[in-house]
Amino acid sequence: MEPINEITSVVTPLNQKNVDTDQIISKEFLKRIERTGFGKYLFYHWRFDANDEPIKDFVLNDERYKDSTILVAHDNFGCGSSREHAPWAILDYGFRVVIAPSYADIFYNNCMKNGILPITLSVDEVESLLSKDSYDVAVNLEAQTVTGEDGVVYSFDIDPYQKQMLLNGWDEISLTFQYDEQITAYEQRQKAL
Amino acid sequence: MAKTIIEKIWEQHVVYEEEGKPDLLYIDLHLLHEVTSPQAFEGLRLNNRKVRRPDLCFATMDHNVPTRNREQIKDVIARKQISTLQENCEEFGVPLANMDHPDQGIVHIIGPELGLTQPGKTIVCGDSHTSTHGAFGAIAFGIGTSEVEHVLSTQTLWQAKPKTMEIKVNGKLGYGVAAKDIILAIIAKFGIDMGTGYIVEYTGEAIRDLTMEERMTICNMSIEAGARAGLISPDETTVEFLRGRKHVPSGEAFEKEAARWKALASDEGAVYDKTVEISADEIEPFVTWGTNPSMGSGVSNNIPYTTDFTETSDQQAHEKALAYMGLEQGMPLEDIQISNVFIGSCTNARLSDLKTAAKVIEGKKVHANVTAIVVPGSQTVKKQAEQEGIDKIFLNAGFEWRESGCSMCLAMNEDVVPAGEHCASTSNRNFEGRQGTGARTHLMSPAMAAAAAIEGHIVDIRKFQVVNA
């Protein structure tokens, strides 16, 4: 996956809590057997009406955010289905960073495996970001900061192991192969039981 | 020191641990299906990797399979996804219950049916309802496709040790109250994200009293409370369910396993990071009125008012949900008109679920405004039901009797609720568009869904049974 460290962009404010992965990528688009090409289906039924016309007041259809690479949402983002098609759609659409007060566990993990940085900020901080129009921020993973255009700095925590994975864009399977001896030893112990 | 079952299973599966890293955890059983596996197998091919332990994998197709006219799948992309799973299983030596195989069914129904699911195992699948298998006292959780590829390649996952939570259901269930009502009540009371970061263990008298089928219904919906995994300590009920199943040992070996399984149960005095309690006698038959599983209430209640919520974000969510559902605040739940009924899904499509629903509708007719379908959870469930004449009860009442699969739970196949229509569903998610674009889902137990099919609106099963006694 592509390494990630510094990202600067206007933030796209999606002011909703409990956004589930069925909304992020609807089931009719899950039949593809590739990892790519899901971006055009991101939030499909919120972006487009029954005639496939863009719904004007949905934030992704707002011209100001069309080149944004940072999505901000409220609590429990990505709840529901484990479908990795959700982060694939987010990434393919062009987002590299998501900011929210909390995430569903499976979705959070799935972001990490795809080079998407899920940043957790406090509810107050996220609500502050959600309340702004056309607000630019600079994300720095190494420093674990989000710096607003007005100089406000938000710090975030991230698991050090996951941080290294993202910064380096490592392939986790190759890393795990280095523990082949331990895995084999475990299997032999189990067999002997 | 007293330990929870969660700690015991975890410790038995740590392959490697190091400060500052998640644990490398061994996986005992990897279930696969057609929707979340193709990209993982493709990853293996691109990197010239093989499946480390095909003998610990088991695959079936369930998510997009048709539930009638299976000979010719009309949807070209769905057909491709299904043939891709067949090819991948063949190429990598993974056991597969193909669409025409007698063991085919929803992956979370056939695992327990075949005895692949066993206490003490770590079980994963690229599906969030993998938590179902926790009913047997296994750590079972849903993973994404990248993790599917990781497990295929290494039979392990890097996992941070989760926190533990006890959800204690005290006392006994009242008349007409089902396992589905327990889990819906828990989610409504504690919230859709109460379990985030935790593995949950369900305890208490009401849980001990449940059959294995009912325990599976509870654990299945752990993810709807945000918990990746939810489990129940094994006991005699667990052991007896597994006895004689295809993939469990027999004779003396079984007794030895049974003793080991029962010893996994959480120790007296084991400490959880968090404990919450709920009284079984405060739980009514439940229905959801909104667009996530926590937006539900006892059937005798009315839909809440926006002003019942204090936080602005909750008020906004409430308004948005009611607008989508086409419902008014303050409206009695029993006044909600139903035009579709779905009895199926990994939550409630086991034989006992179908029997319960059949008992409710026996000798009656589906309401003229209602389209009702039954989708057995597996071919085994279907066959057993047919042997007992349960299919006839449904057919005589005007239900459609289908082949097994996920079907209208997520509407990836042709089984779709039309836009704007309300569906009484025994499935697990009432998200916007879940059962079809614009479809309006009400989650409930099999008995409640069956009664709604007869009456054409939501009804309290307790009153229905008294009137029809």
Side-chain angles (χ1 to χ4, degrees):
Chain A
M1 67 189 185
E2 206 179 317
I4 180 168
N5 185 21
E6 291 176 45
I7 299 280
T8 300
S9 163
V10 63
V11 298
T12 302
L14 177 64
N15 191 2
Q16 281 191 50
K17 53 164 66 172
N18 303 322
V19 173
D20 59 77
T21 52
D22 275 72
Q23 309 316 314
I24 298 173
I25 183 85
S26 190
K27 77 268 170 194
E28 62 267 41
F29 309 118
L30 303 184
K31 293 170 193 162
R32 298 161 49 82
I33 56 172
E34 300 85 20
R35 279 177 199 255
T36 52
F38 290 97
K40 55 182 178 286
Y41 308 122
L42 177 70
F43 292 116
Y44 195 83
H45 296 293
W46 287 353
R47 268 164 79 195
F48 301 104
D49 65 15
N51 302 316
D52 292 333
E53 293 295 325
I55 296 170
K56 282 208 173 61
D57 60 359
F58 185 61
V59 68
L60 263 66
N61 291 327
D62 189 325
E63 273 297 305
R64 291 173 297 175
Y65 304 123
K66 80 172 168 33
D67 296 321
S68 168
T69 56
I70 303 175
L71 179 67
V72 185
H74 218 302
D75 263 316
N76 198 29
F77 189 76
C79 63
S81 158
S82 62
R83 57 188 71 166
E84 196 162 316
H85 311 70
W88 292 338
I90 287 171
L91 189 66
D92 195 60
Y93 181 86
F95 291 116
R96 290 300 307 275
V97 177
V98 184
I99 301 176
S102 61
Y103 300 87
D105 291 336
I106 304 177
F107 175 82
Y108 188 86
N109 267 334
N110 284 343
C111 284
M112 292 290 179
K113 313 289 180 197
N114 287 282
I116 298 169
L117 169 61
I119 295 175
T120 309
L121 294 180
S122 73
V123 171
D124 287 346
E125 289 166 338
V126 168
E127 285 184 347
S128 160
L129 289 174
L130 287 169
S131 69
K132 294 188 167 83
D133 287 330
S134 308
Y135 187 67
D136 288 310
V137 301
V139 168
N140 187 312
L141 173 57
E142 185 67 55
Q144 296 180 209
T145 55
V146 178
T147 307
E149 59 181 35
D150 48 4
V152 179
V153 180
Y154 307 94
S155 296
F156 62 90
D157 285 332
I158 186 165
D159 175 84
Y161 172 80
Q162 291 182 317
K163 180 178 175 178
Q164 286 309 312
M165 298 296 293
L166 286 172
L167 282 171
N168 296 291
W170 279 330
D171 167 31
E172 200 175 33
I173 296 173
S174 304
L175 286 183
T176 309
F177 279 148
Q178 296 169 14
Y179 297 87
D180 188 61
E181 208 176 297
Q182 283 88 345
I183 299 171
T184 304
Y186 178 90
E187 285 173 331
Q188 279 162 356
R189 282 201 304 277
Q190 291 308 109
K191 224 173 172 178
L193 282 181
Chain B
M1 204 186 88
K3 283 181 186 169
T4 66
I5 180 172
I6 302 162
E7 294 163 291
K8 292 184 200 180
I9 299 174
W10 194 276
E11 286 166 10
Q12 287 174 9
H13 288 83
V14 174
V15 170
Y16 179 80
E17 56 188 331
E18 186 186 317
E19 188 69 28
K21 267 191 181 173
D23 291 343
L24 187 62
L25 206 65
Y26 199 79
I27 302 301
D28 295 324
L29 175 63
H30 186 189
L31 301 166
L32 297 119
H33 65 82
E34 76 277 23
V35 176
T36 57
S37 68
Q39 295 86 351
F41 282 113
E42 184 61 17
L44 297 186
R45 260 190 298 271
L46 289 172
N47 292 289
N48 202 18
R49 290 167 180 159
K50 60 182 182 50
V51 176
R52 183 183 177 94
R53 292 292 301 270
D55 57 316
L56 300 182
C57 298
F58 193 88
T60 195
M61 42 276 278
D62 54 5
H63 277 63
N64 78 32
V65 298
T67 57
R68 56 184 166 188
N69 308 325
R70 287 202 189 198
E71 308 71 40
Q72 178 60 18
I73 303 175
K74 277 182 252 148
D75 182 336
V76 180
I77 313 173
R79 196 162 70 215
K80 173 82 179 150
Q81 202 168 48
I82 284 168
S83 62
T84 301
L85 181 63
Q86 288 166 333
E87 288 155 20
N88 284 333
C89 287
E90 202 164 312
E91 181 180 343
F92 290 95
V94 170
L96 168 73
N98 216 333
M99 203 160 57
D100 54 3
H101 193 280
D103 289 339
Q104 184 271 341
I106 305 174
V107 68
H108 308 310
I109 301 230
I110 65 174
E113 225 166 48
L114 295 169
L116 289 163
T117 304
Q118 291 171 15
K121 280 190 176 182
T122 46
I123 302 174
V124 297
C125 174
D127 189 279
S128 61
H129 292 112
T130 307
S131 58
T132 313
H133 308 267
F136 291 80
I139 291 184
F141 55 93
I143 56 177
T145 299
S146 295
E147 290 177 312
V148 169
E149 188 178 337
H150 193 279
V151 177
L152 287 172
S153 308
T154 69
Q155 205 55 38
T156 62
L157 278 177
W158 293 97
Q159 291 288 304
K161 205 172 177 179
K163 293 177 284 183
T164 59
M165 185 191 297
E166 179 185 27
I167 301 182
K168 204 169 174 188
V169 189
N170 297 310
K172 291 205 177 287
L173 288 178
Y175 171 74
V177 182
K180 183 66 159 284
D181 303 316
I182 301 180
I183 190 65
L184 286 173
I186 288 170
I187 299 164
K189 181 168 178 167
F190 301 110
I192 189 178
D193 56 355
M194 59 110 59
T196 304
Y198 290 91
I199 292 183
V200 165
E201 180 179 358
Y202 301 94
T203 67
E205 187 187 356
I207 299 295
R208 283 284 138 234
D209 286 349
L210 298 175
T211 64
M212 285 316 297
E213 287 88 344
E214 293 170 323
R215 292 180 188 184
M216 284 188 252
T217 299
I218 306 254
C219 291
N220 172 273
M221 289 189 71
S222 301
I223 185 66
E224 283 11 291
R228 280 179 89 180
L231 52 70
I232 295 171
S233 282
D235 59 12
E236 209 48 50
T237 306
T238 321
V239 169
E240 289 315 310
F241 181 95
L242 288 171
R243 190 185 294 279
R245 297 204 178 250
K246 194 169 171 183
H247 289 273
V248 296
S250 56
E252 221 171 285
F254 180 80
E255 301 309 327
K256 202 178 146 201
E257 277 296 83
R260 187 178 70 83
W261 292 340
K262 285 196 277 187
L264 289 167
S266 289
D267 299 328
E268 191 77 36
V271 180
Y272 300 82
D273 293 309
K274 188 175 179 182
T275 294
V276 297
E277 300 191 38
I278 186 167
S279 299
D281 60 13
E282 73 182 48
I283 300 173
E284 284 197 74
F286 235 76
V287 296
T288 63
W289 44 261
T291 52
N292 76 48
S294 73
M295 294 173 160
S297 176
V299 66
S300 66
N301 296 323
N302 298 349
I303 294 175
Y305 288 89
T306 304
T307 50
D308 294 343
F309 300 89
T310 45
E311 275 184 51
T312 316
S313 58
D314 287 329
Q315 291 178 344
Q316 286 166 348
H318 183 252
E319 276 173 13
K320 188 171 188 289
L322 290 190
Y324 178 83
M325 295 297 288
L327 297 171
E328 300 292 329
Q329 48 182 337
M331 174 183 177
L333 290 170
E334 289 193 72
D335 287 354
I336 296 173
Q337 302 298 305
I338 295 294
S339 52
N340 292 267
V341 171
F342 171 59
I343 295 178
S345 88
C346 55
T347 315
N348 277 127
R350 287 168 280 271
L351 186 62
S352 57
D353 298 312
L354 305 194
K355 279 183 176 175
T356 304
K359 225 167 153 181
V360 171
I361 57 141
E362 186 158 21
K364 300 182 180 65
K365 291 283 174 202
V366 168
H367 192 276
N369 298 343
V370 174
T371 305
I373 68 169
V374 185
V375 182
S378 68
Q379 287 298 309
T380 305
V381 169
K382 181 170 184 264
K383 202 170 121 200
Q384 285 174 342
E386 287 170 353
Q387 280 164 357
E388 296 187 28
I390 289 166
D391 58 325
K392 294 287 178 308
I393 298 176
F394 282 114
L395 287 165
N396 289 340
F399 276 82
E400 293 174 38
W401 181 254
R402 301 286 189 88
E403 300 292 334
S404 51
C406 298
S407 177
M408 206 180 265
C409 174
L410 85 165
M412 267 191 83
N413 68 357
E414 296 156 344
D415 306 337
V416 174
V417 176
E421 294 193 15
H422 290 261
C423 180
S425 180
T426 67
S427 56
N428 41 52
R429 287 189 175 135
N430 51 342
F431 297 145
E432 283 183 29
R434 175 79 180 179
Q435 294 191 291
T437 306
R440 295 160 168 170
T441 303
H442 301 278
L443 304 176
M444 60 191 78
S445 72
M448 287 278 287
I454 304 299
E455 298 291 340
H457 60 91
I458 290 176
V459 282
D460 186 336
I461 186 66
R462 295 167 300 186
K463 288 195 259 175
F464 181 88
Q465 281 175 337
V466 170
V467 172
N468 291 282

